[in-house]
Amino acid sequence: MSVHSMPVLTEAEVAERVGALMADMTTAEKAGQLTQYFYFDLPPREEGAPEGPGAAFAGQGITVGEALGRGEVGSLLFVTDPAQINRLQRRAIEGNRHGLPVLFGFDVIHGLRTIFPVPIALAASWDPAGVERSQAVAAREARAVGIHWAFAPMVDIARDPRWGRIVEGAGEDPYLGAAVAAAQVRGFQGEGLGAPGRVIAGPKHFAGYGAALGGRDYDEVNLSDSELWNVYLPPFKAAVDAGAGNIMTAYMDLNGVPATGNHWLLAEVLRGTWGFDGFLVSDAQAVHNLRTHGFAADLTEAGARALMAGVDMEMAVGDPAYAHLPEAIKAGLADEEALDACVRRVLTAKIRLGLLDQPYVDEDEAIQVLSDPAHRAAAREAAQRSAVLLRNEGGLLPLASPRSIAVSSIAVVGPLADSRRDTLGPWVFDFDLDETVTVLDGIRDRAGPDVEVGYAPGIRPALRVFPSMFDMFAGNAPAEPEGFDDAAELARAVDLARASDVAVVVLGEWQNMIGEAASRSSLELPGRQLELLQAVAATGTPVVLLVMNGRPLDLRWAAANVPAILDIWYPGTQGGAAVADLLFGDVGPGGKLPFTWPRTVGQVPLVYGHTVSHEPANQGRRYWDEESTPLYPFGYGLSYSRFDYADLTLDRDRLRAGQALTVSVTVTNAGERAADEVAQLYIHQRHGTASRPVRELKGFQRVSLAPGESRTLEFRLGPDELRYWNAAVRDWVIDATTIDVFAGGDSTAELTASFTISR
Ligand code: BGC
């Protein structure tokens, strides 16, 4: 039977199948179903060999192979080759009495073979439908190679850009975060588990991981109840409501209790209050590490505590704590019913996916799916829609417009402009570098024979002070160019810029500087990039700065001195082509910032949704040495046109708690080019039983408008938008109050109206 014609089983049929299997399983076999291993086919480390990145995985192939043979594996991660997946699957099935297949999970974060822009970029599109389409492509490719489950989306709110994982999420805002989270879940899962060409979505990391102390990845998190419920949990709630089949726990302590052993968080909130009925997986080695936290005395207790908190599956690098579950149950640390509940959830997922009937993957079909040109077209469109235009003095962009300068020569400058690996961004492993279009390639292709395109890196790539754990993958760290003469190369870049009509300078962070374990203590452009930019700008040739990044960087100098700045993020496989489309105006940028862009690292965390207290008039001067306002506000982004907002109207100006109203606003494209705008709706509660932020996003719509075209957009404000978790009464409330509404193109929107809520 093919996966495509899999019959949908009723709940009772699934339960019956699960029950029949479990009736005959030993405690050890059950524990095996709850164990997930990384699979890297790496040889054991030789005696005395240095401990490089990835040392923890040495010898994995042998260990896991043996565990498969003993039937002690429920799932594997990090395998993407369909032939290897089939081989391992056969080994798994033959290794246990029940012929149970393993689930293959993988970090399908922004594409598998076709790489899409990084998640923060997808969020910057403010286009949930587009985000859903992107992740549907990723799911199709993943499923085709035999992956059943994506460890994505990462829905952690990130308010401190020193934390490198900001690139994996949707930024600082709970409302945008929730919309993007739900869209991704729908993209990965489609109609639900078992839908052809889709995979299980695993939103992560539950919960609060983005608030690591000092932005230091993995460090403890201390969040107030108000922040937790109003800011950090909403994207998870949205993902659960969208039907996510899995959730991954977080590494760190949340308010003094490890998230992975946190009964309140996992059992009471997630399963109890929210009714999550999928399965939970720990983050890598997080169960094991309950010992490291000083929470569990030994591995047996670690496994027992995680299981009793509701962690269904342990993601293990080696030496799983869940292998000790039989012992833990004998010692009375965990009970068999809890174990059974976990096994039931894992087997339910396998059955719903159709895995018991069709465990193998069609290797020929995989080749076809992975090379589908429609996937590349989708990635190009996603990259176009993600870019954010931060500055465009004098209409320098688009290059081929009447307002721009005449361009017959372009200098492309900066090592990132010509780096395939960096164009893709972090958290990708199965990409094809050969098909990756860099910014330089894209500009060369688009510029055509009449425009001369020159290239000079100007400087060598910057390096991390401490290597990345991902540098275990070949080509992850930038290669040191051989025989690079710093002074001569800088001079060459300057000469090229001087001799060209326009200089396109690509700066940012190398992709191994962002992502997991990529925290920074500064937001400056790494290496000699600012010096390069200043030297190029000093030639007088107009500069377009393209920023390749996953976090805000210190762009104070550029924002004051460079006429055009376009944030292209890490744009993916088709990135350079999309960037060229934007530069030449074949399409226009319409993305908006999903985070507040600080001026300097000393301001972080800096968010638009803050409360006000003493001396609000000095809000922008809290520091004596720098403004405390952002460089660019949340929701900000320009286009090649301009938009006016008018006629903000409410269909009623009084309501009772529990009722809803409709807000409408008319957006007009007041410029000369067709363009996209993201209309945003914010609220502010004037008074109430707790303090509320000065602004809160409560609605947005991305629209495409022809020159002169107007559209009236409607937004609904109902109980979901008006309630908040109140730390004074420790409950959700809708206050009797006055609410100000603001509509416009970013979080500083001025067009306003108000309404009252009574009890
Ligand atoms: C990360 C997870 C990821 C897992 C498997 C962990 O280190 O925190 O986000 O899914 O590794 O690769």
Side-chain angles (χ1 to χ4, degrees):
M1 185 170 23
S2 108
V3 176
H4 307 281
S5 59
M6 204 72 72
V8 178
L9 298 177
T10 64
E11 244 173 70
E13 286 165 337
V14 174
E16 200 187 310
R17 253 181 120 168
V18 170
L21 283 166
M22 285 178 61
D24 185 36
M25 283 171 84
T26 64
T27 312
E29 285 169 338
K30 290 176 186 171
Q33 282 303 306
L34 306 186
T35 305
Q36 179 188 53
Y37 280 99
F38 279 82
Y39 186 83
F40 290 113
D41 206 0
L42 297 174
R45 195 154 66 91
E46 283 178 22
E47 276 278 310
E51 268 222 17
F57 299 109
Q60 268 273 323
I62 298 171
T63 318
V64 178
E66 288 168 0
L68 281 169
R70 293 193 303 269
E72 290 171 3
V73 184
S75 174
L76 290 174
L77 74 145
F78 250 94
V79 194
T80 57
D81 171 32
Q84 194 179 29
I85 284 182
N86 279 338
R87 223 168 25 244
L88 291 165
Q89 189 65 289
R90 187 152 290 120
R91 187 116 194 237
I93 289 171
E94 287 166 3
N96 68 83
R97 293 190 297 139
H98 303 92
L100 284 169
V102 293
L103 278 171
F104 283 91
F106 190 60
D107 291 279
V108 187
I109 307 299
H110 53 116
L112 185 77
R113 179 65 52 80
T114 310
I115 306 303
F116 284 75
V118 286
I120 193 78
L122 293 176
S125 71
W126 293 59
D127 176 17
V131 173
E132 182 178 336
R133 283 196 300 276
S134 299
Q135 296 301 30
V137 170
R140 181 162 184 255
E141 292 190 355
R143 191 64 194 254
V145 302
I147 292 165
H148 309 114
W149 163 22
F151 306 132
M154 191 198 89
V155 305
D156 293 310
I157 293 291
R159 302 189 140 195
D160 186 335
R162 291 174 297 182
W163 189 57
R165 303 198 79 170
I166 184 174
V167 66
E168 292 175 58
E172 79 182 44
D173 186 71
Y175 186 89
L176 178 64
V180 174
Q184 294 194 75
V185 170
R186 289 193 300 269
F188 284 120
Q189 290 191 174
E191 294 300 305
L193 269 49
R198 306 288 180 134
V199 295
I200 303 174
K204 64 191 187 184
H205 307 81
F206 199 60
Y209 182 35
L213 219 58
R216 292 181 299 273
D217 204 4
Y218 315 129
D219 276 6
E220 71 184 272
V221 167
N222 297 298
L223 284 174
S224 71
D225 271 10
S226 171
E227 285 172 294
L228 200 54
W229 285 107
N230 291 316
V231 179
Y232 286 81
L233 292 181
F236 284 100
K237 173 71 164 56
V240 169
D241 290 347
N246 169 260
I247 299 259
M248 186 187 292
T249 67
Y251 276 131
M252 72 312 139
D253 288 301
L254 174 65
N255 299 333
V257 182
T260 300
N262 197 319
H263 187 271
W264 171 78
L265 189 66
L266 307 181
E268 293 180 37
V269 174
L270 182 61
R271 290 209 189 278
T273 312
W274 294 356
F276 172 66
D277 64 359
F279 67 106
L280 265 161
V281 68
S282 76
D283 202 341
Q285 225 40 3
V287 176
H288 198 105
N289 284 348
L290 291 178
R291 285 182 322 176
T292 314
H293 288 255
F295 186 70
D298 52 32
L299 278 189
T300 308
E301 197 191 352
R305 301 275 289 274
L307 184 90
M308 296 311 287
V311 179
D312 300 289
M313 188 178 275
E314 176 185 12
M315 184 188 287
V317 173
D319 198 9
Y322 275 15
H324 298 260
L325 285 177
E327 219 172 294
I329 289 172
K330 257 194 216 126
L333 294 171
D335 53 58
E336 191 96 30
E337 292 85 79
L339 178 77
D340 283 353
C342 295
V343 177
R344 210 170 285 126
R345 286 190 283 256
V346 169
L347 291 181
T348 299
K350 290 186 178 180
I351 291 169
R352 283 227 173 279
L353 275 172
L355 202 53
L356 265 57
D357 305 303
Q358 178 52 285
Y360 300 108
V361 63
D362 181 336
E363 293 168 32
D364 293 331
E365 194 182 322
I367 294 169
Q368 268 175 33
V369 171
L370 292 182
S371 57
D372 191 338
H375 295 186
R376 277 65 184 177
R380 183 166 177 167
E381 189 186 345
Q384 293 165 347
R385 292 177 74 78
S386 300
V388 181
L389 183 63
L390 297 174
R391 190 170 149 93
N392 195 17
E393 288 303 292
L396 177 58
L397 291 178
L399 293 177
S401 79
R403 279 200 293 157
S404 186
I405 50 173
V407 173
S408 59
S409 56
I410 302 176
V412 179
V413 176
L416 288 171
D418 190 30
S419 166
R420 293 190 175 160
R421 180 63 195 85
D422 291 293
T423 303
L424 298 175
W427 270 122
V428 292
F429 304 94
D430 198 54
F431 49 80
D432 178 358
L433 275 189
D434 289 341
E435 68 160 327
T436 304
V437 184
T438 65
V439 170
L440 178 60
D441 299 333
I443 292 177
R444 279 207 170 120
D445 286 353
R446 174 62 181 76
D450 301 336
V451 179
E452 206 176 310
V453 179
Y455 172 65
I459 53 169
R460 61 179 79 216
L463 302 176
R464 287 174 55 130
V465 175
F466 304 111
S468 160
M469 64 176 178
F470 295 106
D471 293 348
M472 71 184 256
F473 298 98
N476 193 62
E480 274 274 29
E482 269 173 45
F484 195 90
D485 179 334
D486 294 271
E489 286 293 340
L490 185 61
R492 195 164 74 80
V494 168
D495 290 346
L496 177 68
R498 192 175 288 117
S500 304
D501 295 326
V502 65
V504 176
V505 183
V506 187
L507 305 179
E509 286 185 309
W510 279 260
Q511 64 80 29
N512 75 339
M513 296 175 164
I514 187 107
E516 187 178 348
S519 298
R520 282 189 77 185
S521 67
S522 133
L523 294 178
E524 282 165 21
L525 288 164
R528 297 176 63 199
Q529 296 186 95
L530 180 57
E531 187 188 338
L532 173 65
L533 179 65
Q534 290 173 333
V536 169
T539 62
T541 298
V543 173
V544 176
L545 170 60
L546 302 180
V547 191
M548 203 181 264
N549 63 324
R551 56 157 71 96
L553 296 166
D554 186 337
L555 289 190
R556 283 176 292 181
W557 190 86
N561 296 286
V562 171
I565 307 177
L566 181 67
D567 194 337
I568 61 169
W569 314 102
Y570 299 97
T573 301
Q574 286 289 313
V579 167
D581 296 335
L582 291 158
L583 290 178
F584 288 92
D586 303 332
V587 293
K592 301 272 187 174
L593 292 177
F595 49 63
T596 301
W597 194 300
R599 294 166 193 276
T600 168
V601 74
Q603 293 178 299
V604 308
L606 186 68
V607 294
Y608 83 92
H610 60 85
T611 60
V612 272
S613 51
H614 189 58
E615 300 213 27
N618 281 348
Q619 193 72 41
R621 298 203 195 138
R622 293 294 203 232
Y623 304 109
W624 60 255
D625 60 342
E626 176 55 283
E627 315 255 357
S628 37
T629 53
L631 189 63
Y632 300 111
F634 174 81
Y636 173 82
L638 306 169
S639 70
Y640 292 155
S641 192
R642 350 182 233 104
F643 292 91
D644 289 343
Y645 286 78
D647 302 329
L648 178 62
T649 48
L650 314 179
D651 69 343
R652 55 205 294 191
D653 58 8
R654 274 159 216 281
L655 42 143
R656 289 190 180 281
Q659 294 179 327
L661 84 165
T662 301
V663 180
S664 53
V665 68
T666 302
V667 190
T668 302
N669 181 344
E672 290 125 37
R673 301 180 68 97
D676 278 16
E677 168 70 333
V678 180
Q680 300 160 46
L681 187 82
Y682 294 86
I683 64 166
H684 163 241
Q685 173 165 320
R686 284 197 199 163
H687 53 82
T689 52
S691 306
R692 299 300 301 144
V694 285
R695 295 265 166 119
E696 291 177 85
L697 181 71
K698 293 294 177 183
F700 63 88
Q701 290 179 46
R702 180 166 175 152
V703 290
S704 303
L705 296 179
E709 186 184 351
S710 290
R711 188 154 330 148
T712 300
L713 306 175
E714 290 193 345
F715 300 91
R716 185 176 181 274
L717 289 177
D720 284 349
E721 287 77 27
L722 299 173
R723 70 175 200 159
Y724 66 96
W725 201 89
N726 182 315
V729 299
R730 306 185 62 78
D731 203 355
W732 294 97
V733 302
I734 296 178
D735 280 326
T737 185
T738 299
I739 302 271
D740 297 313
V741 177
F742 301 89
D746 64 48
S747 58
T748 67
E750 284 173 4
L751 187 63
T752 185
S754 63
F755 65 92
T756 60
I757 307 177
S758 58
R759 292 252 123 240

